[in-house]
Structures are given as C-alpha cells and as structure tokens.
Amino acid sequence: MMSHAALSDAIEGSISKSVAPSTFQQTPEPSVGGVALEELAKTYATPLYILDKATIRQQATSYLETLKTAYPGEAVVLYAAKANLNLALAKFVNDLGLAIDVVSSGELYTALQAGVSADWIYMNGNNKSDAELEMALDAGICRLMVDNEEELAQIDAIVRGRGLKEKPAVLLRVAPGIEAHTHDYLKTGTDSNKFGMPINRIPEIVGVCLTRYAETIDLAGLHAHIGSQIFDALPYQDLARIMLKTYGDLRERFNGLILRDLDLGGGLGICYQTSDDPPSIEEAIAQLARTVAETAQSIDYPLPRLLLEPGRSLVATAGITLYTVGTVKKTESGRVFVAVDGGMGDNIRPALYQADYSALAIVKSSQKTPEQQAEPGVQSARVTLVGKYCESGDVLLRDWQAPRLVAGDRVVIFGTGAYNYAMASTYNRIGRPAMVW
C-alpha cells in the first residue's frame, strides 16, 4: 500500500464536486466513503464499479422532501430499475421510501427477491410477453404501464383465462409530442420513437378501456416519459399542462371520469462534465409539482397521485469505475492511446451514443522502477483512453488531457452509477466487473 503522501503527490489534475460522489476525497489519497480506492483495487481487482450509498440517499431525500414540501397531494417516487439494479440496490432504495419501476421479468424477479412488496412495484415496457404479464399479475404488482393497444388485449385475455377476480390497475403510456433537447436515442416523448400511444388517440383508447375491457382492467391514469439526460425543466412543466388538459378533456367526454394517477416519468440530467448545467433536483421537481397543482386547480380537477420515475439522477453520480492502465502506444501521427483493463464491455455508452465522462489519473510513480521513471516516454498530452475489446469503437474518452501514464497506474471515471453495470456485457468472453459500495 502506498503511503498517503506518495499517493497525494501522484494524483494528476482535480475533479469537480459536481461530477463526483458526495463522499469522494482526492486527498490525502483518493477514496469513497472513507475507503481508499487503492485498497479496493487490491481487494477486488479492476475494473471495478464503486457505488456510494451516501450519494444515493442524498438524491432520494431530495426527491422525497421536495415533493412533500411542493406538492399538496400524494406523490410517489419510483426508482427506474433499468438504470442499475441488483438485490442490494433494490432493497436499499426501497428502504429509503422509493417504489421500484421495472421493465422486464428479470427486473421484477430481482425486486421481489430483494423483499420489495408487490404494492411498491410498477411495470413499464413496450413489448411485454404473456409470461411477463402473467408473472406481474400473479405477484399482484401495483401498476402496469400499458404501452399499446395490443397489450390491453393481452391483459384482458390473461385476466379472463386465469379467472382473476381483481382487475389490474393500469396506466396508459402516452406519446405527448414534446421534443426534449437530448440525444436522439434518449428521446421518448414524440411519435417518432417506439414508446407509447399518440396523445390524439387517447380518448378513443380510454373509451375502449371503459367499455370492452371494463370487467378486466382498472384504468388508473396516464403515463408519459419525454426522454433522458434532460437539462431544461420547462419541458416537464409543458408535459404536466398537456397531460392535465387531457385529463380535463376525458372528464368532460366520459361523464365525469376522474383518473387518480398521473405519471410524468423521469429523465432529469446529471453532470458528467463540469460544463454540464442541469437544474437541481429541488429546483426541477418543485417547479413541476407546483405546475401540476396549479394546473389541476385551474381546471377544478382533483389532485392526482403524482408519480415520478428517476433513475440516472439517483444513482449515476454515486458511481465511479476504477481501471488499471495496461499498454500505452504513441502512433507515428502523434496520437497517444492509453489502454485500460476494461472498456466497452463495462461502459457501452460512449460507443452507443457518444457519451462523455470526466476522469482522474492516479499515477503510482513511487511504485515504478528507476528505469520507468527515467524513461522519456509520453508526458502530459491529449490521449485517447481505450479498452481491451476487439473493436475500434472501444473508446472510453477522446482527447483527454492526461499525465504521463504507464502500466499499473489507475484511472477513475466518474458518473458511471447508471447504465454501466446495467448494460455490461461479456463480449470477448471477458467477465463483468464486480460492484462494491
């Protein structure tokens, strides 16, 4: 183990608090939750996912307390399990007071095995199989978010075929036509993507629920999700107004129909780099809650139970990934490639939609041989941080201003608590990293 002084002297650069877990300390040695990263690397090997419980608790509390203060009606925060899920995490967020939003039988199984009550589980997804719906109905989960008309028919057939006495409560997923300013792959609120039903067809589909499926489906409300990694609070307020206008129109059309739930999804952005400037949870959620309350009051509509589905904004900043440097290569053109022991198998997001991250180098100079320390090598330069997978697209960072790195040095990438572990693969038959917290 290196001494505190040696590690302190070896850290290159600094990292903004906005992109790091709340307990991350850079000196006297890099640590999370009071545990040295070097100790974790030696104990669990690298690459290694590291998750900070304190940060998750802090983010969850921000959602819960802001809603308690800003929204005069009932509100439920659903953790979007697709961001990151395992038994420990499911139990932890549920113990904090969050429900769980799942999108598959695997996520549903994990939540149930973690001891989450079915009353605290909601199920999304655009192409649920009969087996998944049967599993959800048998468990008695709280709500099914129905993506399309075919799914209504599926649920009806299962309820009738199984002779279920209790009608499942459903929310119809709406494509509200709101353009969120994010990557095309992260947009979900327009009719050009695969999710939801066009908002102009909702009255017709509600009519079908109230007639054809009246005996097998309990229509609880509507659901919308406009995208992910959104930095502007205004689209959420527009969404609230559009959805409540639809509620008012449905009440008028269907003899005083009152929908008791309103699910406005998630997608609030986080800081991956210091230049990112998303609104705070408190700011965005308070504005959204006030808009729902004010709009409901303006049309004399009973306050719906407000549902929100954060995922990334709860766990992304809580996570970091720790790597070890292997080879360093300088090409004739001058490009420097620094390869680490992970890559696209543990973080596919840069290859999938050009996601950017912040990083910190830990140069273990005191552990280098005199020959390595004397070697001219490559000094501080803009480098391409790559992985060990057999793909040219296996790039974690481009044009990273890095110190001189050699085999055995460490690299920390921040903001990896969401959509890294959850999307990890065993490509090239390389095992997935462990996760500790």
Side-chain angles (χ1 to χ4, degrees), residues 225-250:
H225 180 72
I226 57 175
S228 188
Q229 191 57 357
I230 298 170
F231 280 15
D232 189 351
L234 290 177
Y236 291 110
Q237 296 167 58
D238 291 341
L239 174 64
R241 296 185 185 99
I242 289 172
M243 296 290 278
L244 279 165
K245 179 183 183 304
T246 302
Y247 276 40
D249 293 344
L250 292 171

mmCIF file of all heavy atoms in Angstrom, residues 225-250:
data_model
loop_
_atom_site.group_PDB
_atom_site.id
_atom_site.type_symbol
_atom_site.label_atom_id
_atom_site.label_comp_id
_atom_site.label_asym_id
_atom_site.label_seq_id
_atom_site.Cartn_x
_atom_site.Cartn_y
_atom_site.Cartn_z
ATOM 1 N N HIS A 225 -43.242 9.814 -20.601
ATOM 2 C CA HIS A 225 -41.812 9.954 -20.316
ATOM 3 C C HIS A 225 -41.193 10.589 -21.555
ATOM 4 O O HIS A 225 -41.249 10.013 -22.642
ATOM 5 C CB HIS A 225 -41.202 8.584 -20.043
ATOM 6 C CG HIS A 225 -39.736 8.623 -19.732
ATOM 7 N ND1 HIS A 225 -39.245 9.103 -18.534
ATOM 8 C CD2 HIS A 225 -38.657 8.242 -20.460
ATOM 9 C CE1 HIS A 225 -37.922 9.000 -18.542
ATOM 10 N NE2 HIS A 225 -37.538 8.500 -19.696
ATOM 11 N N ILE A 226 -40.637 11.789 -21.405
ATOM 12 C CA ILE A 226 -40.233 12.542 -22.596
ATOM 13 C C ILE A 226 -38.780 12.348 -22.999
ATOM 14 O O ILE A 226 -38.360 12.830 -24.048
ATOM 15 C CB ILE A 226 -40.519 14.052 -22.411
ATOM 16 C CG1 ILE A 226 -39.800 14.604 -21.171
ATOM 17 C CG2 ILE A 226 -42.015 14.291 -22.323
ATOM 18 C CD1 ILE A 226 -39.946 16.105 -20.991
ATOM 19 N N GLY A 227 -37.993 11.650 -22.184
ATOM 20 C CA GLY A 227 -36.610 11.427 -22.581
ATOM 21 C C GLY A 227 -35.695 11.304 -21.389
ATOM 22 O O GLY A 227 -36.142 11.174 -20.240
ATOM 23 N N SER A 228 -34.404 11.349 -21.666
ATOM 24 C CA SER A 228 -33.410 11.138 -20.629
ATOM 25 C C SER A 228 -32.268 12.136 -20.788
ATOM 26 O O SER A 228 -32.028 12.636 -21.888
ATOM 27 C CB SER A 228 -32.876 9.708 -20.728
ATOM 28 O OG SER A 228 -32.052 9.381 -19.647
ATOM 29 N N GLN A 229 -31.579 12.405 -19.668
ATOM 30 C CA GLN A 229 -30.477 13.360 -19.639
ATOM 31 C C GLN A 229 -30.950 14.727 -20.153
ATOM 32 O O GLN A 229 -30.350 15.361 -21.028
ATOM 33 C CB GLN A 229 -29.271 12.842 -20.441
ATOM 34 C CG GLN A 229 -27.963 13.612 -20.281
ATOM 35 C CD GLN A 229 -27.451 13.720 -18.844
ATOM 36 O OE1 GLN A 229 -28.063 13.272 -17.908
ATOM 37 N NE2 GLN A 229 -26.310 14.357 -18.680
ATOM 38 N N ILE A 230 -32.037 15.209 -19.550
ATOM 39 C CA ILE A 230 -32.667 16.480 -19.930
ATOM 40 C C ILE A 230 -32.196 17.579 -18.985
ATOM 41 O O ILE A 230 -32.226 17.419 -17.763
ATOM 42 C CB ILE A 230 -34.203 16.340 -19.896
ATOM 43 C CG1 ILE A 230 -34.645 15.289 -20.927
ATOM 44 C CG2 ILE A 230 -34.880 17.674 -20.172
ATOM 45 C CD1 ILE A 230 -36.105 14.901 -20.812
ATOM 46 N N PHE A 231 -31.763 18.694 -19.551
ATOM 47 C CA PHE A 231 -31.185 19.776 -18.766
ATOM 48 C C PHE A 231 -32.127 20.958 -18.565
ATOM 49 O O PHE A 231 -31.748 21.934 -17.920
ATOM 50 C CB PHE A 231 -29.911 20.296 -19.451
ATOM 51 C CG PHE A 231 -28.703 19.435 -19.210
ATOM 52 C CD1 PHE A 231 -28.813 18.153 -18.701
ATOM 53 C CD2 PHE A 231 -27.442 19.918 -19.510
ATOM 54 C CE1 PHE A 231 -27.702 17.371 -18.477
ATOM 55 C CE2 PHE A 231 -26.311 19.139 -19.294
ATOM 56 C CZ PHE A 231 -26.440 17.868 -18.770
ATOM 57 N N ASP A 232 -33.317 20.901 -19.095
ATOM 58 C CA ASP A 232 -34.245 22.027 -19.040
ATOM 59 C C ASP A 232 -35.508 21.594 -18.305
ATOM 60 O O ASP A 232 -36.128 20.585 -18.657
ATOM 61 C CB ASP A 232 -34.584 22.476 -20.465
ATOM 62 C CG ASP A 232 -35.374 23.763 -20.508
ATOM 63 O OD1 ASP A 232 -35.821 24.231 -19.447
ATOM 64 O OD2 ASP A 232 -35.557 24.296 -21.620
ATOM 65 N N ALA A 233 -35.904 22.340 -17.293
ATOM 66 C CA ALA A 233 -37.102 21.991 -16.520
ATOM 67 C C ALA A 233 -38.393 22.339 -17.252
ATOM 68 O O ALA A 233 -39.458 21.806 -16.929
ATOM 69 C CB ALA A 233 -37.069 22.707 -15.169
ATOM 70 N N LEU A 234 -38.312 23.205 -18.257
ATOM 71 C CA LEU A 234 -39.539 23.658 -18.930
ATOM 72 C C LEU A 234 -40.307 22.541 -19.636
ATOM 73 O O LEU A 234 -41.551 22.519 -19.580
ATOM 74 C CB LEU A 234 -39.212 24.782 -19.916
ATOM 75 C CG LEU A 234 -38.800 26.112 -19.274
ATOM 76 C CD1 LEU A 234 -38.434 27.135 -20.355
ATOM 77 C CD2 LEU A 234 -39.918 26.656 -18.393
ATOM 78 N N PRO A 235 -39.651 21.594 -20.325
ATOM 79 C CA PRO A 235 -40.424 20.516 -20.958
ATOM 80 C C PRO A 235 -41.271 19.723 -19.961
ATOM 81 O O PRO A 235 -42.367 19.262 -20.299
ATOM 82 C CB PRO A 235 -39.344 19.630 -21.595
ATOM 83 C CG PRO A 235 -38.200 20.550 -21.844
ATOM 84 C CD PRO A 235 -38.229 21.512 -20.689
ATOM 85 N N TYR A 236 -40.795 19.570 -18.743
ATOM 86 C CA TYR A 236 -41.578 18.860 -17.734
ATOM 87 C C TYR A 236 -42.836 19.635 -17.368
ATOM 88 O O TYR A 236 -43.915 19.058 -17.180
ATOM 89 C CB TYR A 236 -40.733 18.629 -16.482
ATOM 90 C CG TYR A 236 -39.611 17.643 -16.661
ATOM 91 C CD1 TYR A 236 -38.287 18.066 -16.667
ATOM 92 C CD2 TYR A 236 -39.861 16.284 -16.821
ATOM 93 C CE1 TYR A 236 -37.246 17.164 -16.821
ATOM 94 C CE2 TYR A 236 -38.825 15.379 -16.985
ATOM 95 C CZ TYR A 236 -37.522 15.821 -16.983
ATOM 96 O OH TYR A 236 -36.493 14.926 -17.141
ATOM 97 N N GLN A 237 -42.701 20.959 -17.279
ATOM 98 C CA GLN A 237 -43.875 21.774 -16.971
ATOM 99 C C GLN A 237 -44.872 21.756 -18.128
ATOM 100 O O GLN A 237 -46.087 21.690 -17.908
ATOM 101 C CB GLN A 237 -43.418 23.197 -16.660
ATOM 102 C CG GLN A 237 -42.547 23.276 -15.402
ATOM 103 C CD GLN A 237 -41.843 24.609 -15.269
ATOM 104 O OE1 GLN A 237 -42.482 25.653 -15.236
ATOM 105 N NE2 GLN A 237 -40.515 24.589 -15.201
ATOM 106 N N ASP A 238 -44.352 21.797 -19.354
ATOM 107 C CA ASP A 238 -45.234 21.675 -20.521
ATOM 108 C C ASP A 238 -45.960 20.333 -20.502
ATOM 109 O O ASP A 238 -47.157 20.250 -20.811
ATOM 110 C CB ASP A 238 -44.423 21.796 -21.815
ATOM 111 C CG ASP A 238 -43.882 23.200 -22.042
ATOM 112 O OD1 ASP A 238 -44.411 24.146 -21.416
ATOM 113 O OD2 ASP A 238 -42.930 23.354 -22.832
ATOM 114 N N LEU A 239 -45.226 19.283 -20.135
ATOM 115 C CA LEU A 239 -45.819 17.947 -20.071
ATOM 116 C C LEU A 239 -46.951 17.909 -19.054
ATOM 117 O O LEU A 239 -48.035 17.360 -19.327
ATOM 118 C CB LEU A 239 -44.745 16.920 -19.706
ATOM 119 C CG LEU A 239 -45.232 15.488 -19.458
ATOM 120 C CD1 LEU A 239 -45.834 14.906 -20.727
ATOM 121 C CD2 LEU A 239 -44.096 14.610 -18.945
ATOM 122 N N ALA A 240 -46.729 18.490 -17.894
ATOM 123 C CA ALA A 240 -47.770 18.494 -16.858
ATOM 124 C C ALA A 240 -49.035 19.184 -17.356
ATOM 125 O O ALA A 240 -50.160 18.687 -17.142
ATOM 126 C CB ALA A 240 -47.242 19.187 -15.604
ATOM 127 N N ARG A 241 -48.869 20.305 -18.036
ATOM 128 C CA ARG A 241 -50.040 21.039 -18.531
ATOM 129 C C ARG A 241 -50.775 20.239 -19.608
ATOM 130 O O ARG A 241 -52.016 20.176 -19.623
ATOM 131 C CB ARG A 241 -49.601 22.401 -19.077
ATOM 132 C CG ARG A 241 -49.017 23.329 -18.011
ATOM 133 C CD ARG A 241 -48.721 24.700 -18.580
ATOM 134 N NE ARG A 241 -48.058 25.558 -17.588
ATOM 135 C CZ ARG A 241 -46.738 25.771 -17.544
ATOM 136 N NH1 ARG A 241 -45.938 25.231 -18.478
ATOM 137 N NH2 ARG A 241 -46.222 26.544 -16.616
ATOM 138 N N ILE A 242 -50.017 19.641 -20.518
ATOM 139 C CA ILE A 242 -50.629 18.854 -21.598
ATOM 140 C C ILE A 242 -51.394 17.664 -21.030
ATOM 141 O O ILE A 242 -52.534 17.377 -21.431
ATOM 142 C CB ILE A 242 -49.545 18.377 -22.594
ATOM 143 C CG1 ILE A 242 -49.019 19.548 -23.413
ATOM 144 C CG2 ILE A 242 -50.083 17.278 -23.514
ATOM 145 C CD1 ILE A 242 -47.815 19.199 -24.268
ATOM 146 N N MET A 243 -50.779 16.979 -20.082
ATOM 147 C CA MET A 243 -51.428 15.791 -19.522
ATOM 148 C C MET A 243 -52.682 16.160 -18.737
ATOM 149 O O MET A 243 -53.725 15.488 -18.840
ATOM 150 C CB MET A 243 -50.436 15.051 -18.630
ATOM 151 C CG MET A 243 -49.234 14.495 -19.371
ATOM 152 S SD MET A 243 -49.632 13.117 -20.461
ATOM 153 C CE MET A 243 -49.635 11.768 -19.265
ATOM 154 N N LEU A 244 -52.630 17.222 -17.963
ATOM 155 C CA LEU A 244 -53.810 17.613 -17.190
ATOM 156 C C LEU A 244 -54.920 18.168 -18.086
ATOM 157 O O LEU A 244 -56.109 17.988 -17.783
ATOM 158 C CB LEU A 244 -53.430 18.613 -16.109
ATOM 159 C CG LEU A 244 -52.822 17.941 -14.864
ATOM 160 C CD1 LEU A 244 -52.121 18.938 -13.980
ATOM 161 C CD2 LEU A 244 -53.903 17.198 -14.080
ATOM 162 N N LYS A 245 -54.545 18.819 -19.179
ATOM 163 C CA LYS A 245 -55.575 19.215 -20.141
ATOM 164 C C LYS A 245 -56.278 17.981 -20.690
ATOM 165 O O LYS A 245 -57.513 17.959 -20.850
ATOM 166 C CB LYS A 245 -54.960 20.014 -21.291
ATOM 167 C CG LYS A 245 -55.983 20.437 -22.340
ATOM 168 C CD LYS A 245 -55.353 21.172 -23.500
ATOM 169 C CE LYS A 245 -56.403 21.647 -24.491
ATOM 170 N NZ LYS A 245 -57.259 20.535 -24.988
ATOM 171 N N THR A 246 -55.489 16.938 -20.961
ATOM 172 C CA THR A 246 -56.080 15.684 -21.441
ATOM 173 C C THR A 246 -56.995 15.091 -20.377
ATOM 174 O O THR A 246 -58.081 14.580 -20.694
ATOM 175 C CB THR A 246 -54.962 14.686 -21.800
ATOM 176 O OG1 THR A 246 -54.111 15.266 -22.790
ATOM 177 C CG2 THR A 246 -55.535 13.381 -22.323
ATOM 178 N N TYR A 247 -56.603 15.161 -19.117
ATOM 179 C CA TYR A 247 -57.459 14.659 -18.037
ATOM 180 C C TYR A 247 -58.786 15.419 -18.009
ATOM 181 O O TYR A 247 -59.852 14.824 -17.833
ATOM 182 C CB TYR A 247 -56.736 14.805 -16.692
ATOM 183 C CG TYR A 247 -55.794 13.670 -16.360
ATOM 184 C CD1 TYR A 247 -54.993 13.090 -17.339
ATOM 185 C CD2 TYR A 247 -55.695 13.170 -15.073
ATOM 186 C CE1 TYR A 247 -54.121 12.060 -17.046
ATOM 187 C CE2 TYR A 247 -54.821 12.135 -14.757
ATOM 188 C CZ TYR A 247 -54.032 11.580 -15.755
ATOM 189 O OH TYR A 247 -53.180 10.554 -15.455
ATOM 190 N N GLY A 248 -58.695 16.740 -18.160
ATOM 191 C CA GLY A 248 -59.918 17.532 -18.182
ATOM 192 C C GLY A 248 -60.813 17.187 -19.357
ATOM 193 O O GLY A 248 -62.042 17.089 -19.213
ATOM 194 N N ASP A 249 -60.212 16.996 -20.529
ATOM 195 C CA ASP A 249 -60.996 16.631 -21.721
ATOM 196 C C ASP A 249 -61.665 15.276 -21.542
ATOM 197 O O ASP A 249 -62.828 15.081 -21.946
ATOM 198 C CB ASP A 249 -60.089 16.603 -22.958
ATOM 199 C CG ASP A 249 -59.575 17.980 -23.338
ATOM 200 O OD1 ASP A 249 -60.140 18.984 -22.849
ATOM 201 O OD2 ASP A 249 -58.591 18.054 -24.109
ATOM 202 N N LEU A 250 -60.931 14.320 -20.943
ATOM 203 C CA LEU A 250 -61.502 12.987 -20.717
ATOM 204 C C LEU A 250 -62.651 13.044 -19.713
ATOM 205 O O LEU A 250 -63.656 12.329 -19.855
ATOM 206 C CB LEU A 250 -60.412 12.033 -20.222
ATOM 207 C CG LEU A 250 -59.316 11.677 -21.235
ATOM 208 C CD1 LEU A 250 -58.202 10.902 -20.552
ATOM 209 C CD2 LEU A 250 -59.882 10.868 -22.396
#
